[in-house]
């Protein structure tokens, strides 16, 4: 007798419940334990446990926002959101118990929070704390006078900042060097994967590492006037990675046709990584490299020797390595762009209005229906509806699951541990779970934060175990509001044109093909900049598609159907780069008519993607010189157009 098939939930529903394979950040674990438990101890010793709880709440916000590696960025990442948080709790305190006035103020704060979230990571956390603290201030009685609560919360954030900066005097540029060294090591793994099926995955890892390193180094540079020597040097070392990555595309094609590269090449790249991390200078040791014969081999050899010369040179930038990839615009220009992006962007207004609608409904509901400690409903909506945190649907599911798990732990603490000095060792353990679990996923972060917030809330209102079940009900109500008012009522939730961003990427790829082989291109530096921008955009497209895969049908199913085309476009960019590198190192240049034909095919593909929500039938054949440098590129373009066929509708 055949067994009945096992009933399992769909992948899009359970994807976020699997812990991500991330290492435990032990330094952050230690900081969180000290930052959240020490204020409680001081408050108990001073006979003001409520004050200690408020300082710990501010420290919790700082722990959540302490995600940067560079010390200068930590100052910015923690201090700026704390200022917005202080403003939020002040506004909330002023409208505490004011009924519909509180509803109106929190709705307006939610609109602002959602709109500024599109600026960047720091603005996103700032908007989050602005709204969170406003909700807490409007829902919990704060100590008089009105300024005391923002001061206490700010002290908590300042305490986290001080703990985070303790190593700055002895580790000034170490995070930047470590990040750039990690990028070199991903490039070494990329060269080891040339010619194999693992190449695409390793190339994506290189793109992510490059993005992270450039963001880290250039964010610091944007806040530092002049050209400080240590920063110039690490930026030059990062910039010379670009030719290595470009040469890897040609090496991959060569490895598929001829065989694997010499192990000496990735070993030499790892040696460069060690030199970057340790800050070593001196003569580079590259004697074991094989003699290059083919254009791809010459490209790798040239890029590797140039990188070695820059990495080992004591002068910060001896070869004048072009750094226009990261030359920040003037402050007034960045401010003007930011203001325009917030005030004139349709996406900014849409996110802001969705968040404001959900917060307004949550506050109106708890104003009409007596809900004990009703601020938890709006808190849940805030976390679920933050527009840059991923899929609203999946976050609502994960929030409910994480809250339920966290409440189990909170129930044990509130029922078995007596209040008072026992709160301090308990907080040491609970606070350590926040950075450890945050790296595992959203549901795990929620499970870690929930008992901490409940323990601090109990210190303020002394409800004990009675907090547990109401918090579960409030969380479920908040998730329901977010799902209905923030997801189901908005047409784009169910009819997302997942191909729009991909179509833009294909059009940019067509422009990159034309630029790569333009005979009269005056700005040769523009090619690597265009390639870097294109790979960054493709990385964003990949992230958006991966996010769409967690949505329920039809959005998730449509994204799954289009996913192979995302991979195909990335391979087209690789093939273009490989062809350009081969031409630069001795291969015959392609016929301009052949380049124009490839560019035309890509533009037609981009136009077709914009005109339909399903993949349509297209031509898959692209004639040309089968022995020419563009033959692999034409094959990739043909494969992409074949993917966009009727069998994937």
């Amino acid at each position: 007798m055949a067994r009945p098939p096992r009933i399992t939930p769909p992948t899009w529903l359970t994807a976020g419940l699997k812990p991500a394979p991330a290492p435990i950040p032990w330094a952050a674990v230690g900081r969180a334990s000290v930052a959240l438990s020490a204020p409680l101890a001081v408050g108990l010793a001073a006979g003001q446990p409520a004050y200690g709880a408020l300082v710990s709440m501010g420290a919790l916000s700082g722990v959540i926002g302490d995600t940067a590696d560079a010390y200068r960025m930590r100052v910015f990442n923690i201090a700026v959101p704390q200022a917005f948080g202080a403003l939020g709790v002040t506004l909330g305190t002023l409208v505490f118990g004011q009924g519909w006035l509180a509803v109106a103020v929190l709705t307006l704060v939610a609109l602002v929070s959602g709109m500024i979230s599109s600026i960047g990571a720091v603005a996103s956390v700032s908007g989050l704390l602005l709204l969170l603290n406003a909700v807490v201030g409007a829902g919990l009685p704060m100590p008089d006078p009105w300024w005391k609560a923002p001061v206490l919360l700010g002290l908590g954030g300042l305490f986290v900042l001080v703990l985070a900066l303790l190593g700055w005097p002895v580790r000034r540029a170490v995070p930047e060097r470590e990040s750039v060294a990690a990028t070199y090591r991903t490039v070494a793994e990329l060269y080891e994967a040339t010619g194999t099926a693992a190449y695409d995955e390793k190339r994506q890892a290189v793109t992510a590492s490059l993005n992270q390193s450039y963001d880290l180094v250039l964010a610091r540079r944007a806040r530092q006037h002049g050209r400080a020597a240590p920063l110039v040097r690490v930026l030059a070392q990062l910039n010379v990675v670009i030719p290595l990555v470009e040469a890897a595309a040609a090496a991959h094609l060569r490895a598929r046709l001829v065989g694997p590269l010499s192990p000496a090449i990735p070993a030499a790249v790892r040696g460069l990584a060690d030199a970057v991390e340790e800050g070593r200078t001196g003569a580079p040791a590259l004697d074991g490299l094989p003699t290059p014969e083919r254009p791809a081999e010459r490209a790798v050899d040239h890029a590797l020797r140039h990188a070695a010369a820059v990495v080992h040179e004591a002068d910060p930038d001896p070869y004048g390595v072009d750094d226009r990839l990261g030359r920040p615009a003037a402050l007034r220009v960045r401010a003007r762009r930011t203001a325009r992006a917030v005030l004139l962007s349709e996406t900014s207004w849409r996110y802001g209005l969705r968040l404001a609608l959900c917060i307004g409904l949550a506050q109106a509901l708890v104003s009409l229906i007596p809900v004990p400690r009703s601020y938890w409903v709006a808190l849940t909506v805030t976390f679920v509806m933050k527009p840059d945190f991923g899929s609203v649907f999946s976050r609502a599911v994960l929030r409910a699951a994480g809250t339920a798990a966290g409440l189990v732990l909170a129930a044990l603490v509130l029922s078995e541990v007596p209040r008072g000095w026992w709160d301090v060792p308990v907080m040491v353990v609970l606070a350590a779970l926040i950075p450890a679990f945050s790296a595992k996923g959203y549901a795990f972060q929620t499970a870690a934060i929930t008992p901490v917030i409940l323990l601090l809330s109990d210190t303020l209102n002394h409800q004990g175990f009675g907090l547990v079940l109401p918090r579960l009900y409030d969380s479920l109500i908040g998730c329901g509001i977010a799902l209905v008012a923030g997801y189901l009522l908005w047409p784009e939730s169910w009819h997302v044109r997942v191909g729009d961003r991909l179509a833009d990427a294909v059009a940019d790829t067509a422009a990159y093909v034309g630029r790569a082989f333009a005979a009269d291109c005056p700005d040769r530096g523009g090619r690597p900049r265009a390639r870097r921008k294109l790979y960054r955009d493709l990385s964003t497209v990949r992230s958006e598609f991966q996010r769409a895969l967690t949505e329920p049908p039809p959005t998730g199913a449509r994204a799954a159907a289009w996913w192979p085309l995302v991979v195909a476009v990335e391979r087209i960019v690789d093939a273009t780069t490989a062809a350009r590198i081969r031409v630069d190192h001795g291969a015959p240049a392609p016929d301009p008519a052949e380049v124009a034909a490839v560019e035309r095919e890509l533009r037609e593909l981009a136009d077709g993607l914009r005109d339909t929500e399903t993949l349509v039938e297209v031509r898959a054949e692209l004639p040309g010189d089968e022995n020419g440098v563009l033959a692999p590129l034409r094959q990739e373009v043909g494969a992409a157009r074949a993917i966009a066929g009727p069998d994937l509708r």
Side-chain angles (χ1 to χ4, degrees), residues 24 55 99 168 289 364 378 417-418 532 635:
I24 297 177
V55 176
W168 195 353
L289 292 180
V417 179
R532 277 291 302 133
Q635 293 174 4

Side-chain angles (χ1 to χ4, degrees), residues 427-460:
M427 183 58 73
V428 169
V429 176
L430 293 180
L433 298 178
I434 295 175
F437 279 23
S438 294
K440 301 298 181 182
Y442 180 71
F444 300 92
Q445 182 189 52
T446 302
I449 291 176
T450 296
V452 171
I453 295 180
L454 286 181
L455 183 59
L456 296 176
S457 299
D458 184 51
T459 305
L460 294 173

Side-chain angles (χ1 to χ4, degrees), residues 256-280:
R256 288 167 55 187
L257 298 175
V258 180
L261 296 176
S262 168
I265 293 176
V269 177
R270 286 195 174 89
L272 295 181
D274 294 338
V276 169
E277 189 169 16
E278 299 167 9
R280 284 192 277 109

